[in-house]
Amino acid sequence: MVTQRGRRDDAGSPGRPPRRSRRQDTPDADNAPTAEIPAVPAEGTGRNGDAPEAVRAKQIPEAAVARLAVYLRVLSGMSEQGATTVSSEELSQAAGVNSAKLRKDLSYLGSYGTRGVGYEVSVLVSQIERILGLTRQHKVAVVGIGNLGHALANYGGFPGRGFPVEALFDLDADLIGVPVGGLPVSHMDDIPRVCAERGISIGVIATPPTAAQSVCDRLVAGGVQCILNFAPVVLQVPAHIEVRKVDLAVELQILSFHVARRADDAAGNQGNSGLPGTGLPSDNGKGGRNGSGPDSGRGMVVRG
């Protein structure tokens, strides 16, 4: 349902001036028209004293945030290749979205491009980085130094994108004190103290599912604000903690569905009945956010 503005049913009553309907929250915020976004001045502060970027960030649907990250990756590649401008059609094709949705997403930044010229690549990169909070670094801690944890700790792409790995944790006595990716591994019991001392804002859980909730609690106690969870388990966190879940098995199962559907469709074209061609709804970047409401009055939220 799209929010509508205009006259109410009784707007034409004698002696009564036209009234505007109140804007209503809708579950399908990603489909709200761009015109509904209030203009944000380039300088100064917002209504509640927020910086313009903070005001814009509060207005951006989560699905659009995921696409902005994709646009930034594409634009960074274009910039490295020497591109200075890009049209909405070129950028939308490279990012895998339709041009109308891309223009709407970019309008959240206050960027509308120039007719016949397109968008300046460097300006778009700068705007998206500000909105995504990439103008400052976010220190990361990785908990669980198994195969996945080792790979994350050794990945050189994080620091250059503003996510330096500053702490590693594990329970294995043979790993404690051993440097991985240049950092010594600390014991999990030290998570709250080390995270608080080093100003860790993002925690990555790469442990078995049985340990994930305990690790999550310790990260929260250490002041970590956001958690990236690779463990296939539902986490309970305070409402102010943001959790993103990466379940590779689920992603593979979804791909398996599409493979099976296409095979069945091909068989159907030869006279066999097949699955409906509609398939599952595409996530488009929204599935990682896992919240299902308040948790029985404890001020906790279930994050899948």
Side-chain angles (χ1 to χ4, degrees):
M1 181 175 65
V2 178
T3 303
Q4 297 182 1
R5 297 177 181 270
R7 297 179 181 272
R8 298 168 62 99
D9 292 340
D10 57 356
S13 301
R16 173 177 292 179
R19 298 169 61 187
R20 289 189 175 273
S21 61
R22 294 183 179 179
R23 182 176 181 178
Q24 300 177 358
D25 294 330
T26 68
D28 192 12
D30 190 41
N31 291 324
T34 303
E36 294 294 332
I37 306 167
V40 180
E43 303 291 341
T45 58
R47 295 178 182 177
N48 299 318
D50 294 328
E53 288 81 10
V55 175
R56 292 195 188 108
K58 292 178 181 178
Q59 299 163 346
I60 302 177
E62 187 171 348
V65 173
R67 291 192 295 271
L68 287 175
V70 175
Y71 304 153
L72 179 59
R73 182 193 67 206
V74 172
L75 288 164
S76 297
M78 291 180 172
S79 178
E80 292 173 359
Q81 296 175 8
T84 57
T85 60
V86 60
S87 69
S88 59
E89 289 75 15
E90 291 170 334
L91 183 53
S92 64
Q93 183 176 10
V97 302
N98 66 65
S99 57
K101 179 167 288 187
L102 178 137
R103 286 192 292 269
K104 176 182 173 182
D105 291 340
L106 296 184
S107 73
Y108 288 115
L109 312 178
S111 182
Y112 297 91
T114 303
R115 184 178 297 276
V117 177
Y119 298 89
E120 291 188 35
V121 172
S122 61
V123 172
L124 271 188
V125 168
S126 177
Q127 289 175 327
I128 296 175
E129 285 180 341
R130 284 199 300 270
I131 287 294
L132 296 182
L134 300 179
T135 53
R136 56 184 181 275
Q137 290 191 332
H138 301 277
K139 297 180 180 180
V140 177
V142 178
V143 186
I145 312 303
N147 292 333
L148 176 59
H150 265 89
L152 294 172
N154 283 290
Y155 178 55
F158 289 146
R161 289 173 169 80
F163 302 97
V165 177
E166 298 285 347
L168 306 174
F169 301 96
D170 203 282
L171 280 176
D172 190 343
D174 292 335
L175 284 175
I176 306 304
V178 176
V180 176
L183 280 175
V185 178
S186 302
H187 197 278
M188 284 188 186
D189 290 343
D190 296 329
I191 289 176
R193 176 183 60 81
V194 172
C195 286
E197 290 176 353
R198 300 183 188 178
I200 304 296
S201 58
I202 298 176
V204 179
I205 299 178
T207 67
T210 53
Q213 184 62 57
S214 174
V215 167
C216 175
D217 294 341
R218 296 178 188 188
L219 289 170
V220 172
V224 170
Q225 303 171 37
C226 302
I227 294 173
L228 181 63
N229 180 29
F230 284 92
V233 65
V234 174
L235 298 176
Q236 291 184 331
V237 297
H240 69 280
I241 301 297
E242 185 73 16
V243 175
R244 301 282 301 188
K245 181 179 178 181
V246 180
D247 193 326
L248 299 179
V250 168
E251 298 303 322
L252 290 172
Q253 289 163 358
I254 293 173
L255 291 175
S256 173
F257 166 81
H258 289 290
V259 171
R261 187 188 66 180
R262 290 176 182 177
D264 200 80
D265 286 345
N269 290 335
Q270 298 175 3
N272 298 325
S273 60
L275 291 173
T278 54
L280 292 175
S282 176
D283 178 74
N284 290 329
K286 295 185 284 186
R289 177 73 161 84
N290 40 88
S292 56
D295 179 36
S296 62
R298 295 196 303 159
M300 305 291 281
V301 176
V302 176
R303 310 289 196 194

Short mmCIF file of all heavy atoms in Angstrom, two decimals, residues 83-134:
data_model
loop_
_atom_site.label_atom_id
_atom_site.label_comp_id
_atom_site.label_asym_id
_atom_site.label_seq_id
_atom_site.Cartn_x
_atom_site.Cartn_y
_atom_site.Cartn_z
N ALA A 83 36.61 6.05 -14.72
CA ALA A 83 35.32 6.66 -15.09
C ALA A 83 35.05 7.87 -14.20
O ALA A 83 35.30 7.84 -12.99
CB ALA A 83 34.20 5.64 -14.94
N THR A 84 34.54 8.93 -14.80
CA THR A 84 34.21 10.14 -14.04
C THR A 84 32.71 10.36 -13.92
O THR A 84 32.25 10.97 -12.96
CB THR A 84 34.85 11.37 -14.69
OG1 THR A 84 34.41 11.48 -16.05
CG2 THR A 84 36.38 11.26 -14.64
N THR A 85 31.95 9.90 -14.91
CA THR A 85 30.50 10.01 -14.87
C THR A 85 29.89 8.67 -15.26
O THR A 85 30.53 7.84 -15.92
CB THR A 85 29.97 11.10 -15.82
OG1 THR A 85 30.35 10.78 -17.16
CG2 THR A 85 30.51 12.46 -15.43
N VAL A 86 28.63 8.47 -14.84
CA VAL A 86 27.93 7.24 -15.17
C VAL A 86 26.44 7.56 -15.29
O VAL A 86 25.90 8.35 -14.50
CB VAL A 86 28.16 6.15 -14.10
CG1 VAL A 86 27.67 6.60 -12.73
CG2 VAL A 86 27.50 4.84 -14.50
N SER A 87 25.78 7.00 -16.27
CA SER A 87 24.34 7.19 -16.43
C SER A 87 23.60 6.22 -15.52
O SER A 87 24.16 5.20 -15.08
CB SER A 87 23.91 6.97 -17.87
OG SER A 87 24.05 5.60 -18.23
N SER A 88 22.34 6.52 -15.24
CA SER A 88 21.55 5.62 -14.40
C SER A 88 21.38 4.26 -15.07
O SER A 88 21.36 3.23 -14.41
CB SER A 88 20.18 6.25 -14.11
OG SER A 88 19.47 6.50 -15.31
N GLU A 89 21.29 4.26 -16.42
CA GLU A 89 21.15 2.99 -17.13
C GLU A 89 22.40 2.14 -17.00
O GLU A 89 22.33 0.93 -16.77
CB GLU A 89 20.83 3.24 -18.61
CG GLU A 89 19.43 3.78 -18.89
CD GLU A 89 19.29 5.25 -18.53
OE1 GLU A 89 20.33 5.93 -18.34
OE2 GLU A 89 18.14 5.73 -18.43
N GLU A 90 23.57 2.77 -17.12
CA GLU A 90 24.83 2.03 -16.99
C GLU A 90 25.00 1.47 -15.58
O GLU A 90 25.37 0.31 -15.39
CB GLU A 90 26.01 2.94 -17.33
CG GLU A 90 26.10 3.34 -18.79
CD GLU A 90 27.13 4.41 -19.04
OE1 GLU A 90 27.42 5.20 -18.09
OE2 GLU A 90 27.65 4.47 -20.16
N LEU A 91 24.72 2.31 -14.59
CA LEU A 91 24.90 1.88 -13.21
C LEU A 91 23.88 0.82 -12.82
O LEU A 91 24.21 -0.16 -12.13
CB LEU A 91 24.79 3.09 -12.27
CG LEU A 91 25.02 2.81 -10.78
CD1 LEU A 91 26.35 2.10 -10.54
CD2 LEU A 91 24.96 4.12 -9.99
N SER A 92 22.64 0.97 -13.28
CA SER A 92 21.61 -0.01 -12.94
C SER A 92 21.92 -1.37 -13.55
O SER A 92 21.73 -2.41 -12.92
CB SER A 92 20.23 0.47 -13.39
OG SER A 92 20.17 0.58 -14.81
N GLN A 93 22.43 -1.35 -14.78
CA GLN A 93 22.78 -2.61 -15.43
C GLN A 93 23.93 -3.30 -14.72
O GLN A 93 23.92 -4.51 -14.49
CB GLN A 93 23.14 -2.36 -16.89
CG GLN A 93 23.44 -3.64 -17.68
CD GLN A 93 23.70 -3.37 -19.15
OE1 GLN A 93 23.83 -2.24 -19.57
NE2 GLN A 93 23.76 -4.43 -19.94
N ALA A 94 24.93 -2.52 -14.31
CA ALA A 94 26.09 -3.10 -13.61
C ALA A 94 25.71 -3.61 -12.23
O ALA A 94 26.30 -4.58 -11.74
CB ALA A 94 27.19 -2.06 -13.50
N ALA A 95 24.70 -2.97 -11.61
CA ALA A 95 24.29 -3.36 -10.26
C ALA A 95 23.19 -4.41 -10.26
O ALA A 95 22.87 -4.97 -9.21
CB ALA A 95 23.83 -2.13 -9.48
N GLY A 96 22.57 -4.64 -11.42
CA GLY A 96 21.52 -5.66 -11.51
C GLY A 96 20.18 -5.21 -10.99
O GLY A 96 19.40 -6.04 -10.49
N VAL A 97 19.86 -3.91 -11.09
CA VAL A 97 18.54 -3.40 -10.70
C VAL A 97 17.99 -2.58 -11.86
O VAL A 97 18.74 -2.18 -12.75
CB VAL A 97 18.59 -2.54 -9.42
CG1 VAL A 97 19.17 -3.33 -8.26
CG2 VAL A 97 19.41 -1.27 -9.66
N ASN A 98 16.68 -2.31 -11.82
CA ASN A 98 16.13 -1.48 -12.89
C ASN A 98 16.47 -0.01 -12.61
O ASN A 98 16.67 0.41 -11.47
CB ASN A 98 14.63 -1.70 -13.06
CG ASN A 98 13.83 -1.23 -11.87
OD1 ASN A 98 13.79 -0.05 -11.54
ND2 ASN A 98 13.16 -2.17 -11.20
N SER A 99 16.52 0.78 -13.68
CA SER A 99 17.00 2.16 -13.56
C SER A 99 16.06 3.03 -12.72
O SER A 99 16.51 3.95 -12.04
CB SER A 99 17.18 2.77 -14.95
OG SER A 99 15.97 2.73 -15.70
N ALA A 100 14.76 2.75 -12.75
CA ALA A 100 13.82 3.54 -11.96
C ALA A 100 14.09 3.34 -10.46
O ALA A 100 14.09 4.30 -9.68
CB ALA A 100 12.39 3.15 -12.29
N LYS A 101 14.32 2.10 -10.06
CA LYS A 101 14.60 1.84 -8.64
C LYS A 101 15.92 2.46 -8.25
O LYS A 101 16.06 3.00 -7.15
CB LYS A 101 14.62 0.32 -8.39
CG LYS A 101 14.93 -0.05 -6.94
CD LYS A 101 14.64 -1.51 -6.66
CE LYS A 101 13.14 -1.77 -6.62
NZ LYS A 101 12.83 -3.15 -6.18
N LEU A 102 16.90 2.40 -9.13
CA LEU A 102 18.20 3.01 -8.82
C LEU A 102 18.05 4.52 -8.62
O LEU A 102 18.60 5.07 -7.67
CB LEU A 102 19.19 2.72 -9.94
CG LEU A 102 20.58 3.34 -9.76
CD1 LEU A 102 21.67 2.34 -10.13
CD2 LEU A 102 20.73 4.61 -10.61
N ARG A 103 17.32 5.17 -9.52
CA ARG A 103 17.15 6.62 -9.37
C ARG A 103 16.44 6.95 -8.07
O ARG A 103 16.76 7.94 -7.40
CB ARG A 103 16.38 7.18 -10.57
CG ARG A 103 17.22 7.26 -11.85
CD ARG A 103 16.52 8.08 -12.92
NE ARG A 103 15.32 7.41 -13.40
CZ ARG A 103 15.29 6.59 -14.44
NH1 ARG A 103 16.41 6.31 -15.09
NH2 ARG A 103 14.17 6.03 -14.83
N LYS A 104 15.48 6.12 -7.68
CA LYS A 104 14.79 6.35 -6.42
C LYS A 104 15.74 6.17 -5.25
O LYS A 104 15.75 6.98 -4.31
CB LYS A 104 13.61 5.38 -6.28
CG LYS A 104 12.89 5.48 -4.95
CD LYS A 104 11.77 4.47 -4.87
CE LYS A 104 11.17 4.45 -3.48
NZ LYS A 104 10.10 3.46 -3.34
N ASP A 105 16.56 5.12 -5.29
CA ASP A 105 17.52 4.88 -4.21
C ASP A 105 18.48 6.05 -4.08
O ASP A 105 18.79 6.50 -2.96
CB ASP A 105 18.32 3.60 -4.48
CG ASP A 105 17.48 2.34 -4.35
OD1 ASP A 105 16.41 2.39 -3.70
OD2 ASP A 105 17.89 1.30 -4.91
N LEU A 106 18.97 6.56 -5.20
CA LEU A 106 19.93 7.66 -5.15
C LEU A 106 19.28 8.96 -4.71
O LEU A 106 19.94 9.85 -4.17
CB LEU A 106 20.61 7.83 -6.51
CG LEU A 106 21.46 6.66 -6.99
CD1 LEU A 106 22.15 7.00 -8.30
CD2 LEU A 106 22.48 6.24 -5.93
N SER A 107 17.98 9.07 -4.91
CA SER A 107 17.29 10.29 -4.47
C SER A 107 17.27 10.38 -2.95
O SER A 107 17.14 11.46 -2.39
CB SER A 107 15.86 10.33 -5.03
OG SER A 107 15.01 9.41 -4.36
N TYR A 108 17.38 9.23 -2.26
CA TYR A 108 17.48 9.28 -0.80
C TYR A 108 18.73 10.04 -0.37
O TYR A 108 18.79 10.57 0.74
CB TYR A 108 17.54 7.86 -0.22
CG TYR A 108 16.26 7.09 -0.28
CD1 TYR A 108 16.14 5.95 -1.07
CD2 TYR A 108 15.15 7.48 0.46
CE1 TYR A 108 14.96 5.23 -1.12
CE2 TYR A 108 13.97 6.78 0.41
CZ TYR A 108 13.88 5.65 -0.38
OH TYR A 108 12.71 4.94 -0.43
N LEU A 109 19.73 10.07 -1.22
CA LEU A 109 20.96 10.78 -0.91
C LEU A 109 20.85 12.26 -1.25
O LEU A 109 21.75 13.04 -0.95
CB LEU A 109 22.13 10.19 -1.71
CG LEU A 109 22.30 8.67 -1.71
CD1 LEU A 109 23.49 8.29 -2.59
CD2 LEU A 109 22.50 8.16 -0.30
N GLY A 110 19.75 12.65 -1.91
CA GLY A 110 19.64 14.01 -2.41
C GLY A 110 20.35 14.19 -3.73
O GLY A 110 20.63 15.31 -4.15
N SER A 111 20.67 13.05 -4.40
CA SER A 111 21.40 13.11 -5.66
C SER A 111 20.48 12.72 -6.81
O SER A 111 19.92 11.63 -6.81
CB SER A 111 22.61 12.16 -5.60
OG SER A 111 23.36 12.23 -6.78
N TYR A 112 20.33 13.61 -7.77
CA TYR A 112 19.41 13.36 -8.87
C TYR A 112 20.10 13.35 -10.24
O TYR A 112 19.46 13.13 -11.25
CB TYR A 112 18.29 14.41 -8.87
CG TYR A 112 17.43 14.34 -7.65
CD1 TYR A 112 17.74 15.09 -6.53
CD2 TYR A 112 16.33 13.48 -7.58
CE1 TYR A 112 16.96 15.02 -5.38
CE2 TYR A 112 15.54 13.40 -6.43
CZ TYR A 112 15.87 14.17 -5.33
OH TYR A 112 15.11 14.08 -4.21
N GLY A 113 21.39 13.58 -10.27
CA GLY A 113 22.11 13.53 -11.53
C GLY A 113 21.81 14.73 -12.41
O GLY A 113 21.01 15.60 -12.08
N THR A 114 22.46 14.76 -13.56
CA THR A 114 22.29 15.84 -14.54
C THR A 114 21.82 15.24 -15.86
O THR A 114 22.43 14.29 -16.35
CB THR A 114 23.61 16.60 -14.76
OG1 THR A 114 24.07 17.11 -13.50
CG2 THR A 114 23.41 17.75 -15.74
N ARG A 115 20.74 15.78 -16.40
CA ARG A 115 20.20 15.27 -17.65
C ARG A 115 21.25 15.34 -18.75
O ARG A 115 21.88 16.37 -18.95
CB ARG A 115 18.95 16.05 -18.04
CG ARG A 115 18.27 15.51 -19.30
CD ARG A 115 17.02 16.31 -19.62
NE ARG A 115 16.03 16.19 -18.57
CZ ARG A 115 15.15 15.18 -18.46
NH1 ARG A 115 15.18 14.20 -19.36
NH2 ARG A 115 14.27 15.16 -17.49
N GLY A 116 21.42 14.24 -19.46
CA GLY A 116 22.38 14.19 -20.54
C GLY A 116 23.81 13.92 -20.09
O GLY A 116 24.68 13.68 -20.93
N VAL A 117 24.05 13.98 -18.79
CA VAL A 117 25.40 13.75 -18.27
C VAL A 117 25.43 12.54 -17.35
O VAL A 117 26.30 11.68 -17.43
CB VAL A 117 25.92 14.99 -17.50
CG1 VAL A 117 27.30 14.70 -16.89
CG2 VAL A 117 25.99 16.19 -18.44
N GLY A 118 24.44 12.46 -16.47
CA GLY A 118 24.38 11.36 -15.52
C GLY A 118 24.88 11.79 -14.15
O GLY A 118 24.68 12.94 -13.74
N TYR A 119 25.53 10.89 -13.45
CA TYR A 119 26.01 11.13 -12.10
C TYR A 119 27.53 11.20 -12.10
O TYR A 119 28.20 10.47 -12.82
CB TYR A 119 25.59 10.01 -11.15
CG TYR A 119 24.09 9.84 -11.00
CD1 TYR A 119 23.38 9.02 -11.86
CD2 TYR A 119 23.40 10.50 -9.99
CE1 TYR A 119 22.01 8.85 -11.73
CE2 TYR A 119 22.03 10.34 -9.84
CZ TYR A 119 21.34 9.52 -10.71
OH TYR A 119 19.99 9.35 -10.57
N GLU A 120 28.07 12.08 -11.26
CA GLU A 120 29.51 12.10 -11.06
C GLU A 120 29.90 10.95 -10.15
O GLU A 120 29.38 10.83 -9.04
CB GLU A 120 29.96 13.43 -10.45
CG GLU A 120 29.81 14.62 -11.38
CD GLU A 120 30.44 15.87 -10.80
OE1 GLU A 120 31.48 15.74 -10.10
OE2 GLU A 120 29.89 16.95 -11.00
N VAL A 121 30.80 10.09 -10.60
CA VAL A 121 31.16 8.89 -9.86
C VAL A 121 31.74 9.23 -8.49
O VAL A 121 31.34 8.66 -7.47
CB VAL A 121 32.16 8.04 -10.67
CG1 VAL A 121 32.71 6.89 -9.83
CG2 VAL A 121 31.50 7.51 -11.94
N SER A 122 32.67 10.18 -8.45
CA SER A 122 33.31 10.52 -7.18
C SER A 122 32.32 11.09 -6.17
O SER A 122 32.41 10.81 -4.97
CB SER A 122 34.45 11.52 -7.41
OG SER A 122 33.96 12.72 -7.98
N VAL A 123 31.37 11.89 -6.67
CA VAL A 123 30.36 12.47 -5.78
C VAL A 123 29.46 11.38 -5.21
O VAL A 123 29.17 11.36 -4.01
CB VAL A 123 29.52 13.53 -6.52
CG1 VAL A 123 28.35 13.99 -5.66
CG2 VAL A 123 30.40 14.72 -6.90
N LEU A 124 29.01 10.46 -6.07
CA LEU A 124 28.17 9.38 -5.60
C LEU A 124 28.90 8.51 -4.58
O LEU A 124 28.32 8.11 -3.56
CB LEU A 124 27.71 8.51 -6.77
CG LEU A 124 26.41 8.90 -7.48
CD1 LEU A 124 26.02 7.83 -8.48
CD2 LEU A 124 25.29 9.13 -6.48
N VAL A 125 30.15 8.20 -4.85
CA VAL A 125 30.94 7.40 -3.90
C VAL A 125 30.99 8.09 -2.55
O VAL A 125 30.78 7.47 -1.50
CB VAL A 125 32.36 7.15 -4.44
CG1 VAL A 125 33.27 6.59 -3.35
CG2 VAL A 125 32.32 6.19 -5.62
N SER A 126 31.26 9.38 -2.55
CA SER A 126 31.36 10.14 -1.31
C SER A 126 30.02 10.16 -0.57
O SER A 126 29.97 9.99 0.65
CB SER A 126 31.82 11.57 -1.61
OG SER A 126 31.85 12.35 -0.43
N GLN A 127 28.92 10.38 -1.31
CA GLN A 127 27.60 10.44 -0.68
C GLN A 127 27.22 9.10 -0.06
O GLN A 127 26.71 9.05 1.06
CB GLN A 127 26.56 10.86 -1.71
CG GLN A 127 26.66 12.31 -2.14
CD GLN A 127 25.68 12.63 -3.26
OE1 GLN A 127 25.37 11.79 -4.10
NE2 GLN A 127 25.19 13.87 -3.28
N ILE A 128 27.45 8.02 -0.80
CA ILE A 128 27.07 6.70 -0.27
C ILE A 128 27.94 6.33 0.93
O ILE A 128 27.45 5.76 1.92
CB ILE A 128 27.19 5.63 -1.38
CG1 ILE A 128 26.19 5.92 -2.49
CG2 ILE A 128 26.93 4.24 -0.81
CD1 ILE A 128 26.30 4.99 -3.69
N GLU A 129 29.22 6.65 0.87
CA GLU A 129 30.10 6.36 2.01
C GLU A 129 29.63 7.08 3.26
O GLU A 129 29.67 6.52 4.36
CB GLU A 129 31.54 6.75 1.68
CG GLU A 129 32.22 5.77 0.72
CD GLU A 129 33.64 6.18 0.40
OE1 GLU A 129 33.99 7.38 0.62
OE2 GLU A 129 34.40 5.32 -0.07
N ARG A 130 29.19 8.33 3.12
CA ARG A 130 28.70 9.07 4.29
C ARG A 130 27.43 8.44 4.84
O ARG A 130 27.29 8.27 6.05
CB ARG A 130 28.45 10.54 3.93
CG ARG A 130 29.71 11.37 3.81
CD ARG A 130 29.39 12.85 3.92
NE ARG A 130 28.47 13.28 2.86
CZ ARG A 130 28.87 13.72 1.67
NH1 ARG A 130 30.15 13.78 1.38
NH2 ARG A 130 27.98 14.10 0.77
N ILE A 131 26.49 8.10 3.95
CA ILE A 131 25.24 7.52 4.40
C ILE A 131 25.47 6.17 5.09
O ILE A 131 24.84 5.85 6.10
CB ILE A 131 24.26 7.34 3.22
CG1 ILE A 131 23.72 8.70 2.78
CG2 ILE A 131 23.11 6.41 3.58
CD1 ILE A 131 22.83 9.38 3.82
N LEU A 132 26.40 5.37 4.56
CA LEU A 132 26.67 4.05 5.14
C LEU A 132 27.61 4.13 6.34
O LEU A 132 27.96 3.09 6.92
CB LEU A 132 27.28 3.12 4.08
CG LEU A 132 26.38 2.78 2.89
CD1 LEU A 132 27.10 1.82 1.95
CD2 LEU A 132 25.05 2.18 3.35
N GLY A 133 28.01 5.32 6.71
CA GLY A 133 28.86 5.47 7.89
C GLY A 133 30.29 5.03 7.65
O GLY A 133 31.00 4.68 8.61
N LEU A 134 30.74 5.07 6.41
CA LEU A 134 32.08 4.59 6.08
C LEU A 134 33.13 5.68 6.14
O LEU A 134 34.29 5.44 5.79
CB LEU A 134 32.07 3.95 4.68
CG LEU A 134 31.13 2.76 4.53
CD1 LEU A 134 31.19 2.23 3.10
CD2 LEU A 134 31.48 1.66 5.52
#
